[in-house]
Amino acid sequence: MFKAIADVLRSIGGAVATVVSLPFRAVARLFGGASDTAHGRL
């Protein structure tokens, strides 16, 4: 019983963490790509 509840909470936590980290990952990729192209031109 408790294991099932723990599994549900863990899956919900994973989904929330993914949704929260997505914008930061997108911004990091944006700045990372911009710096990569800037360094490539130099």
Side-chain angles (χ1 to χ4, degrees):
M1 178 66 182
F2 287 112
K3 187 181 185 298
I5 294 174
D7 286 340
V8 171
L9 289 176
R10 194 175 299 125
S11 63
I12 292 174
V16 170
T18 302
V19 171
V20 169
S21 65
L22 273 175
F24 293 106
R25 211 173 292 166
V27 171
R29 189 178 301 156
L30 191 67
F31 283 107
S35 65
D36 284 344
T37 52
H39 286 300
R41 288 176 187 161
L42 290 176

